[in-house]
Amino acid sequence: MQIYNRLGYDFYRRHATEIAPSLIGKYLCRRLDDGTLVRAKITETECYFGEDDTACHAHKGKTDRTSTLYEDGGIAYVYLCYGIHSLLNVVTGERDFPEAVLIRGVEDINGPGKLTKALKIDRTFNRENLIDSQRLWIDDAPPVSYIKTPRIGIDYAEEKDRNILWRFVSQEK
DNA sequence: AAAGTGATCATG
DNA sequence: ATGATCACTTTG
C-alpha cells in the first residue's frame, strides 16, 4: 500500500486556480488533542483570487482580517462566518498577492461549516502552517476527476465573478 | 422562508 | 459607539 507524504511548499506556492482542482481527492489531516488522527478525503473546493475578484475577502484591500491572505502559500486562513461557523481556507501562491482555496467539503461531510465542526477546527487555526504543523496538514494522493461550477453564496459579487467556474466537485462516489 | 449568531469594517 | 454585512446550517 502506497503511503503518500504531506503536501509541501512547492505544492502551495502555485496559483489558487490551479491548486483548488488539484486538492480534490487529497486528504485533509487533523491530529486532535487526544492524539486521534482524522483523515478526510477532500471532495469540494473553491478558489478566491486577488483583489480584482469581488467575491474574495481581500477585494477591498488588506485589513487585519485579510492580512492572512497576503502571506506565502501553505498556511490556513480560518474566519468566522455568520457568527457561527469557522470556515477553512488554504492560502496559496506568493507573498503580497491575496489568494486562497476554500475547503467546502470532504467525504461524508458536505458543507464548509460542518467540516470544521467535525474536525474541531476553529479560529485558532488561522495562520497555522500546513507544511510543518503537528495538528493540521494535507496528505498527497492521486488526482481525481471533477466537475466545475460557479461558486456558492457570493450573490454580493459582480456578475463576472459570480459566473466564473471556480468551484470544483469530485465525481468519485 | 427565515432565524440564529458574532467578528469585522465603515460610519459618525 | 452603532449598524450593516456576511464564502452557513437548521428548522418549519
Side-chain angles (χ1 to χ4, degrees), chain A residues 42-141:
Chain A
I42 296 171
T43 58
E44 185 179 347
T45 62
E46 283 178 1
C47 71
Y48 290 86
F49 189 77
E51 294 177 356
D52 292 339
D53 174 7
T54 59
C56 181
H57 283 172
H59 78 275
K60 288 180 181 162
K62 193 170 183 175
T63 65
D64 284 349
R65 177 213 214 187
T66 61
S67 64
T68 307
L69 293 169
Y70 291 77
E71 296 294 330
D72 276 320
I75 66 173
Y77 167 52
V78 182
Y79 76 97
L80 189 67
C81 184
Y82 297 108
I84 303 176
H85 304 105
S86 295
L87 266 52
L88 171 65
N89 300 245
V90 175
V91 177
T92 62
E94 308 289 337
R95 177 171 292 272
D96 294 330
F97 187 89
E99 50 172 305
V101 176
L102 169 65
I103 310 295
R104 283 193 69 86
V106 296
E107 208 163 44
D108 301 324
I109 307 175
N110 301 313
K114 290 161 77 172
L115 118 76
T116 53
K117 184 181 177 191
L119 297 193
K120 295 183 162 50
I121 294 166
D122 59 23
R123 293 194 323 292
T124 68
F125 285 80
N126 193 36
R127 295 177 170 272
E128 186 86 1
N129 188 330
L130 305 177
I131 293 161
D132 60 19
S133 171
Q134 297 303 301
R135 55 180 195 157
L136 185 65
W137 68 93
I138 301 174
D139 277 346
D140 199 6

Side-chain angles (χ1 to χ4, degrees), chain A residues 2 5 19 30 37 68 74 76 101 111 116 118 126 143 147 149 161 171:
Chain A
Q2 175 83 44
N5 292 325
I19 292 176
R30 169 83 169 95
L37 177 62
T68 307
V101 176
T116 53
N126 193 36
I147 59 169
T149 83
D161 297 317
Q171 279 190 321

